[in-house]
């Protein structure tokens, strides 16, 4: 599937769940192997590719940000959850175990040193997953990950280019600068702020 265009993210997520169903087959048997990175690396790569398709992300987006934006826990946590559910007959066990998985995932998200820009925008995984506005696209993913076509990021691949903002020479042109500070986009920023003030509270929850 292409990053831009094609099925919307909610439909792409159905595809990711199919991939996970295959990967998690007999998870209670092999879940202990997830403690060794070498054993789960290949399966985790397939899991991550499916999540990247959900968010329309590029391969250099970190694992941590990819899973959070897609709203799909890391494969090791999913395998551990399946193991805990194995043989459990309580009707509400599935919800309880998913909350336990979210708690472990949140702890890892808070402690990670990667994807800190994404963490700044999405500090609470559960709130993000349960939001009403669920669709992601290629451009929104760029904003939320900081992996955009601004000079700071592009310079990572072409060191001949300056990372300085063409309007603000003392500032680096990155996602934060463009979205919050750069005077080039004052008009767009004001329109966005006006629009957000018109939207009833709770629409983005």
């Amino acid at each position: 599937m292409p990053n831009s265009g094609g099925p919307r993210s909610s439909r792409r997520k159905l595809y990711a769940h199919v991939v996970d169903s295959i990967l998690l087959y007999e998870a209670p048997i092999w879940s202990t192997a997830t403690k060794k990175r070498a054993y789960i690396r290949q399966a985790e790569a397939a899991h991550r590719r499916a999540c990247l398709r959900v968010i329309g992300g590029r391969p250099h987006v970190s694992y941590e940000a990819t899973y959070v934006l897609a709203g799909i826990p890391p494969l090791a946590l999913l395998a551990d959850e399946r193991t805990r559910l194995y043989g459990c007959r309580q009707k509400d066990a599935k919800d309880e175990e998913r909350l336990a998985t979210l708690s472990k995932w949140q702890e890892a998200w808070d402690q990670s040193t990667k994807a800190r820009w994404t963490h700044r925008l999405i500090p609470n995984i559960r709130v993000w997953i349960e939001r009403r506005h669920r669709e992601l696209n290629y451009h929104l993913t760029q904003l939320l990950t900081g992996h955009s076509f601004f000079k700071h990021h592009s310079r990572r691949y072409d060191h001949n280019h300056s990372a300085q903002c063409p309007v603000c020479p003392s500032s680096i042109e990155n996602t934060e600068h463009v979205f919050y500070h750069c005077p080039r986009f004052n008009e767009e920023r004001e329109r966005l702020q006006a629009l957000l003030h018109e939207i009833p509270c709770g629409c983005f929850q």
Side-chain angles (χ1 to χ4, degrees), residues 106-119:
Q106 181 67 55
E107 183 179 359
W109 180 232
D110 292 337
Q111 294 178 355
S112 175
T113 59
K114 298 181 179 180
R116 293 301 84 188
W117 167 252
T118 306
H119 184 276

Side-chain angles (χ1 to χ4, degrees), residues 41-60:
R41 191 171 296 153
Q42 190 171 2
E44 193 173 54
H47 174 68
R48 178 173 178 262
R49 282 197 299 271
C51 291
L52 280 172
R53 297 282 68 77
V54 173
I55 67 174
R58 293 176 173 271
H60 48 250

